[in-house]
Structure formats: C-alpha cells, structure tokens
Amino acid sequence: MLEVQNLSMRFGGLLAVDEVSLDVQEHEIVSIIGPNGAGKTTVFNCMSGFYKPTGGKILFEGKEVQGKPDYKISRLGMVRTFQHVRLFSQMTVVENLLVAQHRHLNTNLISGLIKTPSYRAKEQKSLDRAAYWLDRVGLLDLANREAGNLAYGQQRRLEIARCMVTEPKLLMLDEPVAGMSVSERKKTAELLHRIIQDRSVLVIEHDMKFVEDIAHKVTVLHQGRILSEGSMDKVQADPKVIEVYLGH
C-alpha cells in the first residue's frame, strides 16, 4: 500500500531524514519508534504533504505522492493525526466529525441553503457515520460536549474518530496513546486491531508496551537514519537499539 524509498529531508545544513526506506502492506500495523529528535515526525510530515522532501520517493498504491499538497494526499486516502491535539476546541464532539466530512457532501452553496433532498440525505449519512465512529471510540455519550472540555485521552480518541469518518485507506497516528491511562491504551490497541480489517495503520509511538501489542513490524530511527527494523522481538534484541535507548 505504501512504499517509501530513500526518503531524505534537509533543513538548510541539517539533514533531518537520511535515506529512510520502509513499506506498509494492506491490513498491517507498522510502528516507527526512536528517541526524541530521531526524525519520526519529520518522516510523517513528508509522507502527509506538510513537507516537500528533498530526496527519495513516496508511493501510495503505486503512485508517487511526494511533493503533493496535504489535502490532495488526504483525498487519496492517507490521513493523519498530530503529535499535539489539533481539535476544533469550541465545537462539539460531533461537529468536529461533521467538519471532517465536508468533501463527502460534495454539494454547492444553493443546495445547502435550501436543504435539497439530496443535501439532507448526505447530511444524514454524515451524522450516521459520525455516530458510528463515536460509538467505536467510546465517545457517543459525549457527542454534544465541547471538544475542548474533554479529558486529554478522550481528545486523542476523538482525533482517531475524526480521521476515520474520512474513510482512509492508511491511518497515520502520531503518538496516539500519549496521556492515556493503561485501560485507555488497551482499548486503543483493540480498536486498531479492528480497524486493520479494512485498512492499514502507521504509528509513531514511545510506549513500547503499546507497540508490542499492536505492531506487525517496527522501524527504529536514530538521528534520521534507520537503525533497525523487523519484528518487535528482533529490534528489542538488537544491540544497536539497546545502546541507543539504554546506553553502553
């Protein structure tokens, strides 16, 4: 589904990502791990169109997407969350999910103003889709609460739901369980395992227990380069990984 070939990203004299290659297959969860400053989020930003990489290729379903603007990549089916919560805090929970579906309405201003039957049908479908995913992430009873008033872990789950209503093919999550309790992390892991029945997931995460619970394979970054890759058992036993995380 996704193939990254020799991806590089340079900021002036700083080489933040150096010849990184990885792939994500259908119905697979892949995790990118590494110390702070390893280049994980920069890789995400290149994949999702926030940065234009200075080298390499990014192929999504066989088509090159590097350098395309973020909204075009999103429309192809690559949708992401961010390291820091970016909800519309003054809107309600359900309104956040309706805003995310604006392109599914695919209608003009006049039909929206006069509420044509076609517009109402699409609007109802958007509401149904929002309710479905709020139920999946355990937030349906909070649908009319302002998003900014949710607990931090709930806001994280709302971001996942907001991505899912866009019907992505590849879900990209940047530290999805940061700030969550142990029980919330377990529920999120279970949710991701259900999600991959229909799509793939790429995750940046520092919580190694969570990564162990979800990932089919792991890529370890250090100083912008791939240090190790493979199963969680393999990378945990890699002396280079142990040295980076624990020291000599």
Side-chain angles (χ1 to χ4, degrees):
M1 178 167 285
L2 176 72
E3 185 178 3
V4 179
Q5 301 175 352
N6 303 316
L7 182 70
S8 296
M9 185 67 209
R10 184 180 292 276
F11 299 98
L14 173 65
L15 185 60
V17 177
D18 185 10
E19 301 281 320
V20 167
S21 298
L22 59 88
D23 65 86
V24 182
Q25 305 299 321
E26 291 186 0
H27 314 300
E28 184 175 55
I29 301 177
V30 176
S31 183
I32 301 175
I33 66 173
N36 288 330
K40 304 182 297 296
T41 296
T42 302
V43 169
F44 254 40
N45 286 339
C46 291
M47 292 180 186
S48 55
F50 284 83
Y51 293 159
K52 184 177 181 180
T54 50
K57 292 183 179 180
I58 302 168
L59 293 93
F60 183 64
E61 296 187 316
K63 298 177 182 178
E64 291 188 23
V65 298
Q66 72 275 2
K68 289 183 180 293
D70 52 354
Y71 71 92
K72 288 188 177 180
I73 290 177
S74 175
R75 287 176 179 175
L76 291 173
M78 292 175 61
V79 180
R80 67 169 293 183
T81 64
F82 292 86
Q83 188 174 2
H84 302 290
V85 174
R86 294 193 181 184
L87 297 171
F88 297 105
S89 59
Q90 303 302 314
M91 289 184 176
T92 66
V93 167
V94 70
E95 286 170 344
N96 267 270
L97 269 59
L98 294 177
V99 167
Q101 299 180 73
H102 66 91
R103 73 181 180 88
H104 289 298
L105 287 175
N106 192 27
T107 188
N108 57 48
L109 178 62
I110 300 300
S111 61
L113 287 173
I114 64 176
K115 300 283 187 179
T116 63
S118 174
Y119 181 88
R120 288 198 299 270
K122 291 177 180 177
E123 190 176 44
Q124 185 59 53
K125 188 175 181 179
S126 294
L127 281 167
D128 292 343
R129 189 181 293 116
Y132 173 79
W133 281 107
L134 287 177
D135 185 47
R136 292 284 296 273
V137 302
L139 295 175
L140 186 58
D141 58 336
L142 302 175
N144 294 314
R145 181 174 296 185
E146 282 192 2
N149 292 332
L150 296 179
Y152 189 74
Q154 293 171 331
Q155 291 184 10
R156 283 288 185 186
R157 298 208 306 276
L158 178 56
E159 283 199 313
I160 294 175
R162 188 171 64 175
C163 286
M164 294 310 301
V165 296
T166 68
E167 301 180 338
K169 299 174 183 177
L170 175 65
L171 178 63
M172 302 169 61
L173 303 175
D174 196 345
E175 298 189 26
V177 297
M180 287 188 180
S181 66
V182 173
S183 63
E184 287 177 321
R185 291 198 296 269
K186 182 179 179 180
K187 290 177 181 177
T188 302
E190 292 170 352
L191 173 64
L192 295 185
H193 281 298
R194 293 195 299 271
I195 281 174
I196 61 167
Q197 295 174 9
D198 304 308
R199 57 191 55 81
S200 303
V201 180
L202 182 62
V203 182
I204 292 174
E205 189 49 67
H206 286 288
D207 187 322
M208 292 301 98
K209 180 63 172 68
F210 179 74
V211 172
E212 188 175 0
D213 288 343
I214 66 166
H216 296 106
K217 62 187 180 187
V218 179
T219 295
V220 185
L221 292 186
H222 179 54
Q223 296 180 346
R225 296 180 178 179
I226 291 181
L227 185 68
S228 182
E229 54 189 339
S231 68
M232 190 61 175
D233 288 341
K234 177 186 175 183
V235 300
Q236 283 182 319
D238 190 324
K240 300 190 298 294
V241 176
I242 295 171
E243 181 179 334
V244 165
Y245 274 97
L246 300 178
H248 290 284

